Amino acid sequence: MKYHRIPDETVRRLPVYLRGLLFLSDHKQNISSRNLADFISVNDSQIRKDFSYFGAFGTPGVGYDIRKLIRQIKKMLNLSVSHKAALVGAGNLGSAILAYPGFRMYGFDIAAAFDNDPKKIGREINNVRIEDISSLRTLERRKISLAIIAVPRDAAQQTADALVKAGVKGILNFSPLRITAPKKVKVITIDIAMELARLPYYI
Amino acid sequence: MKYHRIPDETVRRLPVYLRGLLFLSDHKQNISSRNLADFISVNDSQIRKDFSYFGAFGTPGVGYDIRKLIRQIKKMLNLSVSHKAALVGAGNLGSAILAYPGFRMYGFDIAAAFDNDPKKIGREINNVRIEDISSLRTLERRKISLAIIAVPRDAAQQTADALVKAGVKGILNFSPLRITAPKKVKVITIDIAMELARLPYYI
């Protein structure tokens, strides 16, 4: 693992900026931090501070060059090259993820999918063939270092353990369980209920 | 809509703290901001600053009272009362959301689900009967003011429009589309690919 000098909080916001900028790049060439702030609901001084981490500074009266910012953020996030990811768990959630149209925008390729259900193994969803979970060990050879966990809660930790053993370096976990992994493996958990928990504040 | 004095960025982090504290409350009574910081990967000065918005201060040498903090954050986020939410779209993703076990932890009740597919209408998933999308207008009478959009991308905006018309005040949007709504309605979009986009930085 390389040396990380950007705070986790900034790494959390960079994809939010990137997403907004990718939308904006269809219509505009430049944007001020204030207008970007309005567009993505992060305050503008925070945006300027985050951008300063990778040396992006706007031109007074003109703002930031959107395409240049996109390149800089992608480079910073290690998204300039495309990444292959594996999905584990081809149930309802896993099937929805395989059909999700948004991965290509960030250069991701869901290159493999696994399940332990003989009825699912061998089937294809969105051109990805479901493989037997016992084939996880092939991931390293196939240069797949990211994985998405979409298995039932009780199977989440053992799935994470198997992924770590298979050389995976980053895990996106959709189970509501808090899974543990060695420090060298980054785990991000998406808790759907936790996201919903932000809404009542505003109503 | 009430007057909001807490920055959106803090509202974004409060559920993260709440989630960590709910896990910790099974094992511990008090925690320092530093230990909480380690547990949830947010830096400790940020945590202290966020907590100061609602007057939570730790005791030197003892830290914060976990149960008290949970009550304060829930109150701040308007989670002290339970909330009913509706799901629109009972496909793979919607079915996974209906089966998701984590909502109750935050006091949410997925009280209704809608689809436009006659084959799905009338079926039950996790004790919730799928209703015809044309019944969305019953939401206000049923005091359901939150909604989750899990429809295909092309149907996302019209679904949001119909939800706004039905009196919904907060929307959790899972489609990769940027949907628009009147200012009085809060929209939070979960972009699965954007979450995955944080991982390559760490590998």
Side-chain angles (χ1 to χ4, degrees):
Chain A
M1 199 155 87
K2 66 176 178 182
Y3 177 66
H4 303 305
R5 61 195 174 82
I6 297 194
D8 278 355
E9 277 296 287
T10 299
V11 175
R12 212 179 289 241
R13 282 186 295 263
L14 288 180
V16 179
Y17 302 151
L18 178 59
R19 182 170 196 273
L21 291 164
L22 286 168
F23 275 104
L24 289 164
S25 66
D26 288 341
H27 315 291
K28 287 165 81 77
Q29 266 199 306
N30 297 286
I31 193 161
S32 66
S33 54
R34 183 158 302 207
N35 287 345
L36 182 59
D38 284 346
F39 193 69
I40 57 174
S41 299
V42 175
N43 80 63
D44 56 331
S45 63
Q46 184 70 68
I47 290 178
R48 285 191 300 271
K49 192 179 162 193
D50 287 339
F51 285 1
S52 72
Y53 281 112
F54 49 90
F57 300 99
T59 311
V62 177
Y64 293 89
D65 178 329
I66 293 177
R67 276 163 212 281
K68 191 177 166 195
L69 259 185
I70 289 173
R71 279 197 307 274
Q72 287 174 304
I73 295 176
K74 279 193 169 173
K75 195 175 167 199
M76 200 67 245
L77 288 175
N78 185 17
L79 293 174
S80 305
V81 290
S82 83
H83 292 276
K84 289 197 273 189
L87 170 81
V88 188
N92 280 322
L93 179 61
S95 302
I97 290 169
L98 283 173
Y100 191 74
F103 289 111
R104 228 155 263 283
M105 184 159 122
Y106 302 94
F108 291 117
D109 173 23
I110 309 295
F114 301 89
D115 205 290
N116 65 356
D117 179 352
K119 277 183 289 204
K120 288 181 187 141
I121 295 163
R123 280 180 49 197
E124 268 196 22
I125 303 177
N126 224 21
N127 294 319
V128 180
R129 197 178 60 81
I130 315 298
E131 301 171 56
D132 191 318
I133 188 88
S134 66
S135 310
L136 273 189
R137 56 188 159 68
T138 63
L139 290 180
E140 197 154 15
R141 180 166 47 76
R142 294 154 80 183
K143 301 196 188 311
I144 300 178
S145 53
L146 299 175
I148 302 172
I149 294 183
V151 302
R153 190 204 309 236
D154 293 344
Q157 183 62 54
Q158 71 196 69
T159 301
D161 295 345
L163 287 168
V164 170
K165 214 172 153 187
V168 160
K169 297 283 180 283
I171 294 173
L172 189 64
N173 169 38
F174 276 95
S175 89
L177 193 82
R178 192 183 166 84
I179 61 175
T180 56
K183 279 234 159 172
K184 62 176 182 183
V185 177
K186 178 74 177 176
V187 178
I188 291 176
T189 295
I190 311 262
D191 181 335
I192 297 172
M194 189 185 80
E195 302 294 336
L196 190 62
R198 278 157 59 197
L199 280 178
Y201 178 75
Y202 297 96
I203 66 176
Chain B
M1 198 152 92
K2 65 176 177 183
Y3 176 63
H4 303 304
R5 59 196 174 81
I6 297 193
D8 278 355
E9 276 297 286
T10 300
V11 175
R12 212 179 287 242
R13 283 186 295 265
L14 287 179
V16 179
Y17 302 151
L18 178 58
R19 182 168 196 273
L21 291 164
L22 286 167
F23 276 106
L24 289 164
S25 66
D26 288 342
H27 318 288
K28 288 167 80 77
Q29 267 201 303
N30 297 287
I31 193 160
S32 66
S33 53
R34 184 159 301 211
N35 287 345
L36 182 59
D38 285 345
F39 193 68
I40 58 174
S41 300
V42 175
N43 80 62
D44 57 333
S45 63
Q46 184 71 67
I47 290 178
R48 285 191 300 272
K49 192 178 162 197
D50 287 338
F51 285 1
S52 72
Y53 280 111
F54 50 90
F57 301 99
T59 311
V62 177
Y64 293 90
D65 179 327
I66 293 177
R67 276 164 212 281
K68 191 177 165 195
L69 257 185
I70 289 173
R71 278 196 309 274
Q72 287 174 303
I73 295 176
K74 280 193 170 175
K75 196 176 166 199
M76 199 67 244
L77 288 175
N78 185 18
L79 293 174
S80 305
V81 290
S82 84
H83 293 275
K84 289 197 275 190
L87 170 81
V88 188
N92 279 322
L93 179 61
S95 302
I97 290 169
L98 283 173
Y100 191 74
F103 289 111
R104 228 156 263 283
M105 183 158 124
Y106 302 94
F108 291 117
D109 172 22
I110 310 294
F114 301 89
D115 205 291
N116 65 356
D117 179 351
K119 278 182 289 204
K120 287 179 186 143
I121 296 163
R123 282 179 48 197
E124 270 196 21
I125 303 177
N126 224 24
N127 293 319
V128 180
R129 197 177 60 81
I130 315 297
E131 301 170 56
D132 190 317
I133 188 89
S134 65
S135 309
L136 274 189
R137 57 192 158 66
T138 62
L139 291 180
E140 196 154 16
R141 182 167 44 78
R142 293 153 83 184
K143 298 196 189 315
I144 300 180
S145 53
L146 299 175
I148 302 172
I149 294 183
V151 301
R153 190 207 306 239
D154 293 343
Q157 184 61 55
Q158 72 195 70
T159 301
D161 295 344
L163 287 168
V164 170
K165 214 172 153 188
V168 160
K169 297 282 181 282
I171 294 173
L172 189 64
N173 170 39
F174 276 96
S175 88
L177 193 81
R178 190 182 169 83
I179 61 176
T180 57
K183 278 233 156 166
K184 62 175 184 186
V185 177
K186 178 75 177 178
V187 178
I188 291 176
T189 295
I190 311 261
D191 181 335
I192 297 171
M194 189 186 79
E195 303 295 336
L196 189 62
R198 279 156 60 196
L199 278 179
Y201 177 75
Y202 298 96
I203 67 177

